[in-house]
Amino acid sequence: KEGTTRSGSGRRGGRIRRALVVSQLSLALTLMILAGVNFRTVMAIRMTDPGFEGTNVLSMVVELSGGDYPDEESRRHFFDQLVTAASAIPDAEGAALVDSRPGFSGEQRFEIEGRAVVDSRDQPRAARTVVSPGYLDVMRITLFRGRSFLTQDNEEAPGVAVVNRAAMDRYWPEEDPIGQHIRLGGESEPWLRIVGVAGGTEFHESGHSLEHVPQIYLPVSQHPRRSMTLMVRTHNEPTLAVAASKSAVWSVDPNQPVDDVRTMEQYAYDAHSTDYALLTLFVAFAFFALAMAAMGIYGVMSYMVSERGAEISLRLALGAERRDVLAMILRSGGKLLVLGTGIGLLAALLLSRILASVVVGVSERDPLTFIGVPLVLGLVATIANYVPAFRATRVDPMQAMRAE
């Protein structure tokens, strides 16, 4: 009776241990798949061409007060002097202004001369970016057609604009936009002649990919702003030019505040810091779960082998092939692996819906991840399963039976 009780409790303990291993395997697989999808998203974002080159570019926000600069002429004068002073910094390759860093241009409706729009929902839209002459060169944004802005494009000259290629492809797919006229705002606004087609720096998510949106560049002299971001491209590490760039601002106005000083590389990292933090969290938990699953299956298989030591020794003593005994033990662990993998895949498929709103460049059910991760987990679990099984088949069966 006592032996029966021990046997029953042993079977219950074995079932509990196997259930824990299956849970560890399924949890590890779920976390690894979610981490894999996040990793693929981050890589897709990093591989996306931003439309500009942010290396060696320092940026800082300069916002003029309404009291010191009450009219457009005073603001134009300040920013003209600022670009001149910043361009003269010893390590500067060039300097320019933009009303907001890439990725934050406001969208605006516009009108194309000669095209009537019946429904306002069909009216063209584009991101609006106000820049100074030289901005495309400083940011190394490709100019595909026409020209960029010149110093002659001032408040007294006819209004001009540069559109990006996404705008050309959408609104002028079969004609040259150069020379066409557009108008931003109401009928009181002037018509602007398109003088160039350049690359874009604004994106939106379409499905699971990032696409350039239509974008219109406007010269700051014709569209003055109180707040502009100074971009300084340097020959060397841009952080070394922070003091000189601030001095350039203060050489124009000693009392002018300077805010949000960052390199464009730091800005790009900060823009996706949430993605990086989420990825780090998932990866940390995934590796921890993987280690726990590997130790769990190793421990259970070691215990099972020790419990079945007499049986294994007897099989070997009666002439069973070691590879057959090894396969028998591996099948026991393989069943746990298959069950844990199945549950983990199902959980990952259900939880992947949470990632649908944040993944970019890949599907939340990315086939590469859903195939590759189980293979990695299977390899680790197989090794953890193989070690105790291999050791069991190396034991001398006669010695093991005498010990039993």
Side-chain angles (χ1 to χ4, degrees):
K1 184 176 180 181
E2 184 180 346
T4 303
T5 304
R6 262 200 311 269
S7 176
S9 62
R11 282 195 296 269
R12 282 195 298 273
R15 283 196 294 268
I16 293 173
R17 281 188 288 271
R18 286 191 289 272
L20 287 174
V21 169
V22 170
S23 301
Q24 289 172 334
L25 287 169
S26 58
L27 177 61
L29 182 62
T30 302
L31 290 175
M32 288 173 67
I33 287 176
L34 296 180
V37 172
N38 272 277
F39 175 78
R40 296 260 291 153
T41 293
V42 171
M43 290 301 102
I45 292 173
R46 290 179 67 89
M47 293 291 289
T48 301
D49 180 13
F52 63 93
E53 187 177 318
T55 307
N56 286 358
V57 175
L58 180 69
S59 65
M60 57 183 66
V61 177
V62 180
E63 183 172 359
L64 305 179
S65 69
D68 294 334
Y69 299 92
D71 52 49
E72 293 183 349
E73 182 56 37
S74 61
R75 295 167 194 163
R76 287 193 192 96
H77 183 65
F78 173 91
F79 285 122
D80 285 343
Q81 287 186 304
L82 175 57
V83 171
T84 301
S87 300
I89 294 173
D91 193 40
E93 184 179 323
L97 298 166
V98 63
D99 61 341
S100 60
R101 294 184 177 96
F104 288 93
S105 294
E107 187 183 64
Q108 185 169 347
R109 295 180 180 180
F110 68 97
E111 179 183 351
I112 301 175
E113 188 178 32
R115 298 188 191 178
V117 177
V118 178
D119 192 334
S120 60
R121 291 175 297 181
D122 298 329
Q123 188 169 1
R125 296 171 179 264
R128 183 201 66 245
T129 307
V130 179
V131 302
S132 68
Y135 175 76
L136 298 184
D137 293 330
V138 169
M139 299 304 292
R140 295 181 180 170
I141 299 171
T142 304
L143 182 66
F144 297 106
R145 297 187 187 181
R147 68 171 178 87
S148 183
F149 298 131
L150 307 173
T151 54
Q152 291 88 341
D153 295 319
N154 53 34
E155 67 277 12
E156 298 177 356
V160 293
V162 171
V163 299
N164 73 338
R165 194 155 60 175
M168 180 184 72
D169 293 341
R170 180 175 298 183
Y171 300 120
W172 295 275
E174 311 216 348
E175 55 185 317
D176 189 350
I178 304 295
Q180 302 279 350
H181 289 81
I182 59 175
R183 179 165 61 190
L184 284 74
E187 294 183 357
S188 60
E189 297 298 321
W191 289 100
L192 309 176
R193 184 169 63 90
I194 298 174
V195 296
V197 177
T201 61
E202 303 300 313
F203 295 86
H204 83 289
E205 186 178 342
S206 176
H208 292 296
S209 63
L210 289 174
E211 295 180 355
H212 283 284
V213 298
Q215 186 174 2
I216 298 173
Y217 297 98
L218 303 171
V220 66
S221 293
Q222 296 180 353
H223 304 268
R225 296 288 187 270
R226 280 181 50 193
S227 177
M228 297 293 287
T229 300
L230 174 65
M231 300 288 195
V232 180
R233 177 170 290 281
T234 61
H235 295 286
N236 300 301
E237 171 58 42
T239 54
L240 301 177
V242 171
S245 299
K246 289 182 176 180
S247 296
V249 176
W250 294 329
S251 69
V252 181
D253 183 348
N255 299 317
Q256 175 58 46
V258 177
D259 299 317
D260 197 11
V261 180
R262 283 186 286 177
T263 66
M264 285 305 294
E265 288 182 317
Q266 182 184 357
Y267 162 76
Y269 179 87
D270 292 343
H272 300 292
S273 58
T274 302
D275 296 320
Y276 297 140
L278 190 62
L279 175 62
T280 301
L281 183 65
F282 271 123
V283 168
F285 278 117
F287 273 110
F288 177 75
L290 177 62
M292 293 298 294
M295 288 189 292
I297 196 168
Y298 175 83
V300 165
M301 294 313 298
S302 296
Y303 184 81
M304 188 196 77
V305 167
S306 67
E307 274 194 329
R308 300 178 65 180
E311 176 194 346
I312 293 169
S313 299
L314 181 59
R315 287 176 181 270
L316 293 173
L318 293 176
E321 293 290 338
R322 292 184 184 274
R323 65 173 177 271
D324 294 333
V325 176
L326 178 64
M328 176 192 71
I329 301 173
L330 290 177
R331 277 195 298 272
S332 299
K335 292 177 182 177
L336 301 180
L337 175 60
V338 170
L339 183 57
T341 301
I343 296 173
L345 281 173
L346 180 60
L349 285 170
L350 294 175
L351 291 175
S352 63
R353 297 177 182 177
I354 300 175
L355 301 178
S357 61
V358 296
V359 295
V360 174
V362 296
S363 168
E364 70 272 15
R365 296 178 179 178
D366 176 44
L368 182 62
T369 304
F370 273 77
I371 294 173
V373 169
L375 291 177
V376 172
L377 178 63
L379 177 62
V380 173
T382 299
I383 293 173
N385 187 18
Y386 181 82
V387 172
F390 179 78
R391 277 209 309 256
T393 60
R394 297 299 100 184
V395 174
D396 185 343
M398 300 308 296
Q399 290 183 359
M401 289 180 67
R402 281 196 295 267
E404 288 290 335

